[in-house]
Amino acid sequence: MNRSEFINNLRKSLVNIPAEDKEDIIYDYEEHFRLGVENGRTEEEIAKSLGEPRAIAKQYLANYTLEKAQESATAGNVFRAVFATVSLGFFNLIFVLGPFMGIVGVIIGFFAAALGITVAGIAVVIAIPLAPVLPEIIHVTPVVTGNPAAFIAAGAGLTCFGILFGIGVWYLTKYFYLITIRYLKLNIKLITHKEVL
Amino acid sequence: MNIQFKKGVLELCVLAMLAKKDCYGYELVSAISKNIHISDGTIYPLLTRLKKEGYFTTYLQESTEGPPRKYYKITDEGRKMLEELTNEWYDFVDSVNIIIKEDTENEQE
């Protein structure tokens, strides 16, 4: 690979990096080639010792997505940072993506539970007053009709609990994002086998 | 030789070099790849990341032989990090040496 092939490859692989950062990066490698040639090396040799442009671009992408996630820990940013870090090497697939997806599943489950509880509570609060009016649609047992107030209160309580649970899970999610970002920073510091000559 | 080690070591090397004098990218890359078998392409992303973390600043210096060269200059933050990493490194080396020495002594018995 000669200089222009390398630079073009690199440019193409840096798709998701903002233009200003991209130009800074290209500047570094243009300078590297220029000085290497001045020192008597061939473009092919320089390109070889630099490594694969795509692997280099992945490192920049991992740094960039992690920086964005630190600025604003939204779901999208955190997910992008995780996948960019995972793309750095196989090691990260097991030790980053695996646990991450597992915890994502648990959190989704919690949200679903919170939603279910809230909906159930609301349903109770609505259904009990309406039961005498719409007997064909809403069926309640005699226990309930005997103590409508108690059961409405229970329904309200359930709704509140569901909402609080939901809020709790939301805070848990934010905390999870912060931990993930910290873990990704650690992982980025490890060298993958692709970077060793 | 195929070594897996933390990029913290590369950080240490870069900061140590910049503590002595301002360097341009190619200088840093050449010095490091002379002694550590790592692809040169690893170093530039590292430099960009460390610059964003505030360990050094960059400036362009006019050169008679072509476009201006980008120089890296260490900051106070960088010097602090250098001290931290240097201490970590020596602690690590000391610990390993102790273990190796003990093992050799045991073998000789």
Side-chain angles (χ1 to χ4, degrees):
Chain A
M1 196 178 315
N2 66 23
R3 192 196 111 254
S4 49
E5 280 167 9
F6 185 93
I7 298 285
N8 281 332
N9 245 314
L10 184 60
R11 209 182 263 282
K12 265 191 289 188
S13 310
L14 288 172
V15 220
N16 297 314
I17 309 257
E20 191 193 322
D21 291 340
K22 202 189 302 192
E23 292 314 314
D24 283 342
I25 295 170
I26 300 288
Y27 190 96
D28 282 342
Y29 289 91
E30 295 271 22
E31 190 182 81
H32 184 87
F33 270 100
R34 198 173 13 98
L35 293 173
V37 165
E38 264 178 43
N39 278 301
R41 298 164 75 194
T42 65
E43 286 184 3
E44 276 75 18
E45 194 232 312
I46 298 172
K48 190 138 176 266
S49 67
L50 281 173
E52 281 300 310
R54 286 197 62 203
I56 294 173
K58 281 181 186 170
Q59 291 185 60
Y60 283 109
L61 195 63
N63 287 341
Y64 173 67
T65 54
L66 194 52
E67 194 191 329
K68 278 201 79 180
Q70 280 184 267
E71 282 168 23
S72 161
T74 66
N77 287 347
V78 173
F79 267 82
R80 272 185 282 268
V82 169
F83 287 121
T85 308
V86 164
S87 78
L88 288 178
F90 181 70
F91 172 85
N92 290 318
L93 201 65
I94 299 177
F95 289 94
V96 174
L97 197 58
F100 180 75
M101 290 314 254
I103 296 178
V104 166
V106 168
I107 289 183
I108 292 178
F110 278 150
F111 264 126
L115 189 66
I117 292 172
T118 310
V119 168
I122 294 176
V124 169
V125 171
I126 295 178
I128 290 179
L130 291 178
V133 182
L134 303 163
E136 303 89 25
I137 305 175
I138 303 174
H139 303 276
V140 288
T141 65
V143 179
V144 176
T145 41
N147 286 300
F151 277 88
I152 290 179
L158 209 58
T159 310
C160 291
F161 173 68
I163 293 175
L164 282 174
F165 187 22
I167 293 176
V169 181
W170 189 80
Y171 275 109
L172 183 72
T173 311
K174 288 289 162 194
Y175 181 65
F176 171 56
Y177 287 159
L178 287 172
I179 302 236
T180 301
I181 290 171
R182 232 179 278 173
Y183 188 53
L184 290 177
K185 287 189 83 169
L186 230 98
N187 262 273
I188 270 189
K189 288 193 181 227
L190 297 174
I191 292 186
T192 65
H193 65 280
K194 292 183 207 154
E195 292 157 338
V196 181
L197 277 179
Chain B
M1 193 159 56
N2 190 1
I3 310 173
Q4 295 282 352
F5 49 87
K6 286 176 87 167
K7 271 181 182 153
V9 174
L10 285 186
E11 277 183 47
L12 171 58
C13 294
V14 166
L15 287 168
M17 287 184 66
L18 289 180
K20 297 199 207 116
K21 72 175 181 80
D22 297 355
C23 301
Y24 52 94
Y26 192 82
E27 248 189 296
L28 291 167
V29 173
S30 310
I32 290 176
S33 58
K34 243 197 302 192
N35 296 305
I36 301 180
H37 293 285
I38 196 121
S39 50
D40 294 350
T42 312
I43 314 251
Y44 289 104
L46 177 72
L47 293 177
T48 308
R49 182 167 61 84
L50 294 181
K51 177 187 163 194
K52 290 220 166 105
E53 302 214 13
Y55 299 148
F56 31 79
T57 55
T58 56
Y59 60 91
L60 290 174
Q61 193 172 83
E62 294 296 328
S63 153
T64 44
E65 298 117 7
R69 278 192 205 165
K70 185 156 127 185
Y71 276 80
Y72 293 86
K73 182 188 179 66
I74 197 169
T75 62
D76 289 333
E77 282 269 331
R79 288 190 196 274
K80 260 193 283 180
M81 180 52 66
L82 170 61
E83 203 184 313
E84 235 182 86
L85 291 176
T86 310
N87 291 335
E88 264 182 43
W89 173 255
Y90 282 128
D91 284 345
F92 178 65
V93 170
D94 287 344
S95 318
V96 175
N97 281 338
I98 291 174
I99 297 172
I100 299 176
K101 241 184 82 166
E102 279 176 4
D103 264 0
T104 334
E105 284 172 357
N106 286 336
E107 273 168 41
Q108 282 168 357
E109 279 165 30

